[in-house]
């Protein structure tokens, strides 16, 4: 499944159905850049989880709404509800285990 870049206009629709991993990131953030190829791999390996990326510089209101203070922040959601949140770089294995 392809990673989707979300913004205020499509975010609520994207998180409303199924399992969604939201990556709050910034283009200038080192750990975010390290996490990006890992999320690409996971998205191509797993069809049961949608991965969406939210640029905190472009979508400050979404970042504020979800209490994002540090990046990267990963939020696991199911049918629009927050299930869990992780802050900072995570390995592929940690993310896959977390998604399960």
């Amino acid at each position: 499944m392809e990673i989707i870049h979300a913004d205020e206009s499509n975010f609520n629709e994207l998180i409303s159905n199924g399992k969604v991993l939201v990556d709050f990131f910034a283009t200038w953030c080192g750990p975010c850049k390290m996490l990006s190829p890992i999320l690409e791999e996971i998205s191509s390996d797993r069809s049961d989880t949608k991965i969406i990326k939210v640029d905190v510089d472009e979508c400050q209101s979404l970042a504020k709404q979800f209490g994002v203070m540090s990046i990267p922040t990963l939020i696991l959601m199911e049918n629009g509800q927050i299930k869990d949140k992780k802050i900072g770089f995570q390995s592929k294995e940690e993310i896959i285990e977390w998604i399960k």
Side-chain angles (χ1 to χ4, degrees):
M1 195 178 295
E2 189 176 314
I3 290 182
I4 303 161
H5 287 267
D7 58 31
E8 280 94 349
S9 68
N10 64 359
F11 184 81
N12 287 334
E13 181 185 332
L14 290 170
I15 65 165
S16 65
N17 237 336
K19 195 183 281 190
V20 182
L21 178 61
V22 184
D23 172 27
F24 285 92
F25 78 103
T27 55
W28 47 263
C29 161
C32 300
K33 291 177 186 176
M34 292 167 38
L35 187 60
S36 197
I38 292 171
L39 294 177
E40 292 283 347
E41 282 181 40
I42 293 171
S43 74
S44 63
D45 293 348
R46 300 182 67 92
S47 59
D48 64 333
T49 305
K50 187 184 325 177
I51 298 179
I52 62 175
K53 293 178 77 73
V54 177
D55 187 327
V56 296
D57 291 327
E58 293 177 8
C59 304
Q60 292 177 358
S61 63
L62 282 176
K64 188 175 181 182
Q65 179 183 338
F66 286 90
V68 175
M69 304 297 262
S70 300
I71 50 174
T73 292
L74 299 173
I75 298 180
L76 189 60
M77 305 186 82
E78 198 158 343
N79 299 324
Q81 301 299 310
I82 296 174
K83 293 293 178 195
D84 201 4
K85 182 191 247 186
K86 288 194 180 282
I87 297 170
F89 178 80
Q90 308 289 319
S91 72
K92 182 178 180 180
E93 293 74 25
E94 289 171 318
I95 294 171
I96 290 171
E97 191 58 38
W98 184 52
I99 289 172
K100 291 179 186 176

